[in-house]
Amino acid sequence: MVIFGGSGDLTRRKLVPALYNLSRKRMIPGGFTILGISRSPMKDEEYRSRLREWVDKAEEAAPSDPETWEPFSQGIYYLPANFHDAAMYARLKEVLAAYDTRRGTGGNRIFYLATAPSDYVDIIRNLGSAGMAREDSGWVRAIIEKPFGRDLASARALNREVSAVFREDQVYRIDHYLGKETVQNLLVFRFANGIFEPIWNRQYVDHVQITAAENIGVGTRGAYYEEAGALRDMIQNHMMQLLTLVAMEPPPDFAPNSVRDEKAKVLRSIRPCTPEEVGQVAVRGQYGRGFVGGREMPAYREEQGVSPNSTTETFAAIRFTIDNWRWAGVPFYVRTGKNLAKRATEIAILFRRTPHLIFRQAPTDHVESNVLALRIQPDEGITLKFEAKLPGQSMNIRPVSMDFRYGSTFGPHLSSAYERLLLDCMVGDPTLFDRIDSVELAWSLVQPFLDRWSSTDGGPIPTYASGSWGPAEADALLARENRRWRRL
Ligand code: BG6
């Protein structure tokens, strides 16, 4: 695995801990070799000890132990180089050929693009010109990190560059949400159980709420985030993945293209929003000062790398409409934000109320609708909320819940999303990766919001206090339709 961006943030926080975990669980072969490439001059030994420090500090890996670290670290190498220098790729080719002999890598290569997105095109072109995308003696795959472009036009342009060098089946566009156990379980929940699918439609579902709330701000990523915003950072990718998995039709099997075809069909069924409609179906916001978990937080505009006049959204809520037989008339409300009250990612299916209420003592607005909540993280699990009779003489009704918790059922450790996805790429299974058509469809759906919010007639950006649940306008979006966001 050649990691372009070998000393970058992603490599440090996600890739190296995941690879070490895989090695420790003996899920990758002994000859597995990592070549980190970045500009800073460094010897292999220095790189190895740096990686070990990263693993020891990583959230998603236990500290290294000598018995498993030694054999893993034997396969780690470093190449100080400039990605833009075409001549470097001839040298890279030689280095990789030497590993084929020395470490038995057999011509198999994964090129991991973990650099700034502005470097992608040069790297891809250079790999192409050096003939390194060709599968002469083994397989060659490329993993591309998000963001794939910054709008529809640039995503198309990037996809054209990628397709000029790699076949589509060599390309693995990673969205780490698809690697989360709880996200994959959504498919098992829907398609390995007989009792939910019959009610998973407009006849029984009133609406769907998908929330990805974070209780952290942009931290040191201000400069990146200024260029991104919540639409690009979360909605176009992670949130659309969750939405498609909830809304898709059952595929005939779990083969890569069967699943990805159904997901693409959902994206094609989402009603595109016109620029005039943006104000009616979407709300943006930016965090001001406030307290999160008792800690005082600066306003977004005071963060490092952020312009004091920034209009970048750190919160977005959108009402999507799916025009197909299953979902006609069922709104999908999606919201995400930074510095909110709590970290909670959840998909909630809110069912229709009973058509008639026989318990006259209970005013109808006290009887809540049934809710199925799939908690993606933290406290992973599934809850079904229903009404029950309070013990006692009178017919008092109160919501109660049935709960499934991953932690108590399966134990505390779920493997990290990157472990799953890296291994899938190694074995050549692209089911949980994004396909070219879906990436472009998702961009086309968020484009009207991008256009409107970046134009001056988008109006001033509403702010919300850090530690709240977002701007009041987001509540109004649902209140207009007599609904409200779930309190998480
Ligand atoms: C990343 C975004 O893709 O996903 C971050 O760039 C965000 O801004 C993160 O914090 C959320 O991922 P997770 O796994 O913590 O929900």
Side-chain angles (χ1 to χ4, degrees), residues 14-164:
K14 301 286 184 185
L15 303 185
V16 172
L19 290 168
Y20 176 52
N21 280 347
L22 288 173
S23 163
R24 181 147 53 181
K25 293 180 195 162
R26 297 181 191 281
M27 295 185 81
I28 46 181
F32 181 77
T33 305
I34 299 172
L35 177 67
I37 308 185
S38 64
R39 269 171 225 252
S40 9
M42 218 182 328
K43 296 261 180 276
D44 291 341
E45 269 316 317
E46 199 183 337
Y47 189 57
R48 287 174 188 161
S49 43
R50 192 179 279 197
L51 262 51
R52 187 165 191 176
E53 276 169 35
W54 292 347
V55 165
D56 289 339
K57 287 192 193 138
E59 278 167 31
E60 286 171 353
S64 62
D65 62 80
E67 201 183 318
T68 52
W69 179 261
E70 278 316 313
F72 176 69
S73 79
Q74 296 302 307
I76 300 172
Y77 299 89
Y78 183 75
L79 184 67
N82 175 356
F83 315 132
H84 306 287
D85 170 15
M88 184 279 276
Y89 291 77
R91 162 112 187 83
L92 176 61
K93 213 170 166 176
E94 282 168 20
V95 171
L96 297 184
Y99 299 148
D100 286 340
T101 327
R102 189 147 37 104
R103 298 196 41 89
T105 46
N108 298 335
R109 281 124 181 64
I110 295 176
F111 295 112
Y112 202 119
L113 271 60
T115 60
S118 51
D119 291 330
Y120 289 176
V121 167
D122 262 8
I123 296 173
I124 291 163
R125 284 187 187 163
N126 281 325
L127 286 171
S129 321
M132 296 179 75
R134 269 202 319 268
E135 299 185 312
D136 296 331
S137 58
W139 47 256
V140 177
R141 297 175 190 144
I143 303 186
I144 308 180
E145 266 295 331
K146 73 168 256 265
F148 319 113
R150 49 172 290 106
D151 53 18
L152 179 59
S154 56
R156 282 189 177 142
L158 176 61
N159 277 334
R160 269 197 302 274
E161 294 283 348
V162 173
S163 314

Side-chain angles (χ1 to χ4, degrees), residues 216-219 221-230 285-290 297-315 338-339 461 463-464 466:
I216 49 169
V218 294
R221 298 166 75 222
Y224 151 78
Y225 202 85
E226 274 288 85
E227 296 295 310
Q286 189 187 71
Y287 60 82
R289 292 184 184 175
M297 297 296 195
Y300 175 69
R301 291 179 182 181
E302 296 166 336
E303 299 274 20
Q304 183 193 327
V306 173
S307 149
N309 309 316
S310 171
T311 55
T312 301
E313 78 286 353
T314 61
F315 176 98
K338 300 233 179 249
N339 262 3
I461 183 162
T463 54
Y464 58 96
S466 287

Side-chain angles (χ1 to χ4, degrees), residues 146 176-177 180 214 221 224 233-234 238 338 377:
K146 73 168 256 265
H176 78 281
Y177 266 53
K180 291 183 191 276
E214 294 187 90
R221 298 166 75 222
Y224 151 78
D233 189 50
M234 293 290 292
H238 308 324
K338 300 233 179 249
Q377 63 190 24

